[in-house]
Amino acid sequence: MSTTLEKVAKTPQQGGLRQAMAWLHTWCGLWISWLLFAIFLTGTLAVFDDPIGHWMTPEHALEEAAHANDTPPPKVTDRANRLALALDFMEKEHPKADMWEIWPVQRPGQGLSAYWFQPSGGYGSAELNPLTGALVEHAPDANQRDTIGGHHFVDFHYELHAGRIGVWIVGITTMIMLVALVSGVITHKRIFKDFFTFRPAKGQRSWLDAHNAVAVLTLPFQFMIAYTGIAFFSDDYVPAPVVAQYGMENGKKAFLSDWNDVGKPARIGQPMAIPDLEQYALRAEQTIHQEIRAVVLDNPNDASMRVCMYGWNEESDKLQRISANTGMACYALATGEQIAVRQPGKADSGPAGLTRIVMSNLHMAAFGGTPMRWLYFFCGLAGTAMMGTGAILFMVKRRQRAGGEFGSATERVYRMIECLNVAAIAGLAVACIGYLWANRLIPVGIEHRAGWEVRAFFGLWFLMLVHACLRPEKRGWIEQLALLAVLCVLLPVLNVLSTGDNLVAQITRGDWESAGVELCSVAFGLLAAWGAWKVHKRKEQPLKKAARENRSAPASLQTTMEGH
């Protein structure tokens, strides 16, 4: 009988298109569900990486609060003088740099900053006194904790902290996700009715309803987020056009240089003094209708000099358009001729460049302000729930009737899947909140402290995997969800004990970023406690053997929309 079941499992097409798609959806979805759950959960948290980073640097937050009522410094309004001071600094300190960049206004303050290309590669930067042009040096604060903050979730979301290899793993996983989404849509008979259907306390049926509801609710979002994520790294995933145009060696570097430095002139070796840049800033403001944010000077002190003036996006601009590009106007300083213009929201690299920017901004919610970020957050949670309920549904169905897909090893494989379900869902959530706990518990002055926070995340996740393998499936869920609930609910208490700050004080001073992190943590803790209680009340069901000759096919072949 085992041989018969294995044979049937290998021929899903014999049941028709819907059953073939159900087979594809089940097995594609299962093997990537654990990694997709991690990608979606960390991506959802990454929507608010700045508030999380703000909470994880409490010394900075408390310092801001302490000086909130201080008399503001006098506003410096002479932009021409600030540009001249910055140019004088660059002439003395970095005369051979190929690019100088000056920020004559820094909001909300009125600072003055300078940037340049280092000979060894990368950016150099300096903060200058806007009244004298002198270098402002900040002594390192031994009491300021070293952390990458919420950007940890960003890095894990798209590269798993594994660099280029991680980018490829995430890309392949995302492609399989698209296959699972398409096959899931084909499998459905009543896709719209599923959105309004949920039958609680019905075992397998309840998990199926939950999986269908969150999938249908956010189906356009899931397609969009997967497709734009692949498009964002299209030059990595489909490198042939770049290699054909620029060659194999340093082709990517040359491509990015052309992409980011459109029209940059080559040096001609003829000296030329830098003219007054304020007149060009005024011309640019009239052209692009934005206040000038940055002044970029290519090939300084050479007759090939080009200056580009970049505008400043107001908050209203981010609400009105998806493209985050500011306006730009470039001038050849030898002739004073305007050589390039980019209006706000457009792209200077043509329709392809604008498409790339729109794709990336769609993926990263770089538009629409705070309401859009909350929408992405909740849609991301729904997508995460879709991955989790799908993985759980697989084992719920097998408890009703095991499929025997792996012959004599079926029960061992099922046990492995149970362990991975617990560790990938509850265990990852424990690791995420544990990362915030590590931020408060790891000593501030320890060397390479930010790295230790990330190690704490992965170490705790590994311990949850070990725990899931050592404990029965039901006990594993209860204990890890209970641990998650405790860590989430007690996070505000940990903050009080470690920094002296508290939720009431945060709300009183208007620090909604820190307060939001702690309030969301408590909410997730209560949800986890409810989940632990529900699992505790659940009656354990042992795996049932597959039916014999009177069953036509194993459970793996049955459509995931049973009875539809």
Side-chain angles (χ1 to χ4, degrees):
M1 183 60 191
S2 176
T3 303
T4 303
L5 290 176
E6 290 172 13
K7 184 178 180 180
V8 175
K10 292 176 183 177
T11 57
Q13 67 274 15
Q14 71 179 29
L17 177 62
R18 286 187 64 248
Q19 284 198 320
M21 290 296 101
W23 181 92
L24 183 64
H25 181 77
T26 296
W27 291 103
C28 277
L30 175 67
W31 299 124
I32 65 165
S33 61
W34 305 299
L35 182 55
L36 268 180
F37 184 91
I39 292 170
F40 259 77
L41 179 58
T42 53
T44 300
L45 295 174
V47 170
F48 290 115
D49 63 319
D50 286 338
I52 292 173
H54 177 78
W55 185 89
M56 294 181 72
T57 52
E59 296 83 8
H60 179 68
L62 292 172
E63 182 181 0
E64 284 183 345
H67 296 284
N69 296 322
D70 290 355
T71 302
K75 187 175 181 179
V76 182
T77 57
D78 188 357
R79 182 175 62 193
N81 184 55
R82 278 175 280 150
L83 286 171
L85 290 172
L87 288 175
D88 185 60
F89 170 82
M90 296 300 292
E91 289 269 16
K92 294 177 180 178
E93 302 296 333
H94 306 283
K96 295 183 179 180
D98 288 335
M99 186 278 297
W100 296 349
E101 181 172 338
I102 301 167
W103 287 47
V105 177
Q106 286 214 15
R107 300 183 183 180
Q110 295 291 325
L112 176 62
S113 297
Y115 306 87
W116 60 92
F117 277 148
Q118 303 273 30
S120 57
Y123 269 99
S125 64
E127 184 178 344
L128 308 178
N129 185 309
L131 296 176
T132 66
L135 180 65
V136 177
E137 297 187 10
H138 295 284
D141 187 356
N143 296 320
Q144 184 75 35
R145 66 192 66 209
D146 179 27
T147 179
I148 61 174
H151 204 72
H152 155 67
F153 298 112
V154 178
D155 288 344
F156 185 92
H157 167 67
Y158 79 90
E159 54 137 39
L160 310 176
H161 284 293
R164 189 178 179 86
I165 293 176
V167 170
W168 272 94
I169 292 174
V170 172
I172 293 170
T173 304
T174 306
M175 285 296 297
I176 300 173
M177 174 190 168
L178 287 174
V179 171
L181 286 174
V182 172
S183 59
V185 170
I186 295 173
T187 299
H188 279 67
K189 274 186 177 179
R190 303 183 299 185
I191 189 169
F192 294 106
K193 186 175 181 179
D194 288 334
F195 175 70
F196 302 99
T197 302
F198 180 71
R199 286 154 284 193
K202 297 293 184 182
Q204 176 183 333
R205 174 57 60 184
S206 298
W207 283 108
L208 183 58
D209 286 345
H211 181 68
N212 290 336
V214 292
V216 174
L217 172 66
T218 59
L219 186 61
F221 177 83
Q222 310 306 336
F223 273 110
M224 181 276 292
I225 211 71
Y227 184 83
T228 55
I230 293 173
F232 189 81
F233 288 100
S234 57
D235 50 314
D236 281 302
Y237 299 143
V238 189
V242 175
V243 172
Q245 180 70 24
Y246 297 94
M248 181 68 72
E249 187 175 356
N250 296 323
K252 179 70 175 292
K253 184 177 180 180
F255 163 69
L256 292 176
S257 178
D258 279 0
W259 187 279
N260 296 320
D261 299 318
V262 178
K264 182 176 180 178
R267 282 184 175 272
I268 61 177
Q270 180 178 341
M272 175 181 167
I274 300 173
D276 176 26
L277 297 183
E278 175 64 12
Q279 59 175 315
Y280 291 99
L282 294 173
R283 284 177 61 185
E285 286 178 335
Q286 293 178 350
T287 301
I288 64 176
H289 308 292
Q290 285 187 323
E291 181 184 2
I292 296 305
R293 164 181 58 96
V295 177
V296 178
L297 187 65
D298 293 314
N299 304 334
N301 296 312
D302 188 88
S304 62
M305 276 188 297
R306 178 188 73 167
V307 66
C308 290
M309 302 286 177
Y310 292 85
W312 193 299
N313 276 336
E314 304 293 345
E315 285 301 318
S316 58
D317 295 326
K318 298 177 183 179
L319 296 175
Q320 294 172 2
R321 61 174 187 261
I322 296 179
S323 171
N325 273 356
T326 64
M328 178 197 71
C330 296
Y331 304 90
L333 295 184
T335 63
E337 178 187 3
Q338 180 176 282
I339 55 177
V341 174
R342 181 185 73 204
Q343 292 299 328
K346 304 300 182 180
D348 47 7
S349 49
L354 182 60
T355 300
R356 181 187 177 93
I357 291 166
V358 169
M359 288 288 184
S360 65
N361 289 343
L362 274 172
H363 190 83
M364 297 186 293
F367 66 100
T370 301
M372 186 60 65
R373 289 189 174 274
W374 277 110
L375 178 62
Y376 269 59
F377 182 77
F378 286 116
C379 287
L381 288 179
T384 305
M386 180 182 73
M387 310 304 172
T389 54
I392 293 171
L393 177 61
F394 179 90
M395 284 312 305
V396 171
K397 290 179 67 175
R398 268 62 188 178
R399 289 193 194 96
Q400 300 294 327
R401 183 179 61 192
E405 299 92 345
F406 306 98
S408 60
T410 295
E411 289 194 21
R412 293 193 296 275
V413 173
Y414 285 173
R415 173 57 183 158
M416 178 194 73
I417 293 172
E418 287 180 343
C419 294
L420 290 174
N421 278 350
V422 176
I425 298 173
L428 175 64
V430 169
C432 288
I433 190 63
Y435 174 70
L436 300 186
W437 274 69
N439 176 260
R440 293 298 192 261
L441 296 178
I442 296 176
V444 174
I446 192 173
E447 192 174 359
H448 305 302
R449 187 182 180 283
W452 282 109
E453 289 183 353
V454 176
R455 292 185 192 101
F457 168 83
F458 283 106
L460 189 54
W461 196 7
F462 177 74
L463 289 177
M464 293 300 102
L465 174 60
V466 173
H467 172 268
C469 293
L470 295 178
R471 300 291 284 164
E473 186 256 357
K474 181 177 179 179
R475 296 305 308 172
W477 278 112
I478 294 172
E479 290 164 5
Q480 293 201 20
L481 287 173
L483 176 60
L484 174 62
V486 170
L487 292 178
C488 287
V489 171
L490 292 184
L491 186 69
V493 178
L494 173 68
N495 190 38
V496 172
L497 296 176
S498 58
T499 68
D501 196 17
N502 63 79
L503 189 56
V504 175
Q506 293 163 2
I507 296 174
T508 301
R509 67 174 181 260
D511 184 2
W512 286 104
E513 289 186 315
S514 296
V517 170
E518 296 190 8
L519 288 172
C520 285
S521 177
V522 172
F524 283 122
L526 296 176
L527 185 62
W530 175 80
W533 178 78
K534 292 291 287 185
V535 175
H536 174 72
K537 299 289 288 183
R538 186 194 78 195
K539 292 182 179 180
E540 287 193 87
Q541 289 182 311
L543 287 171
K544 296 181 180 180
K545 298 296 182 181
R548 301 293 179 177
E549 291 77 11
N550 62 333
R551 300 284 177 88
S552 60
S556 62
L557 288 186
Q558 295 184 2
T559 176
T560 56
M561 298 296 296
E562 293 175 4
H564 286 206

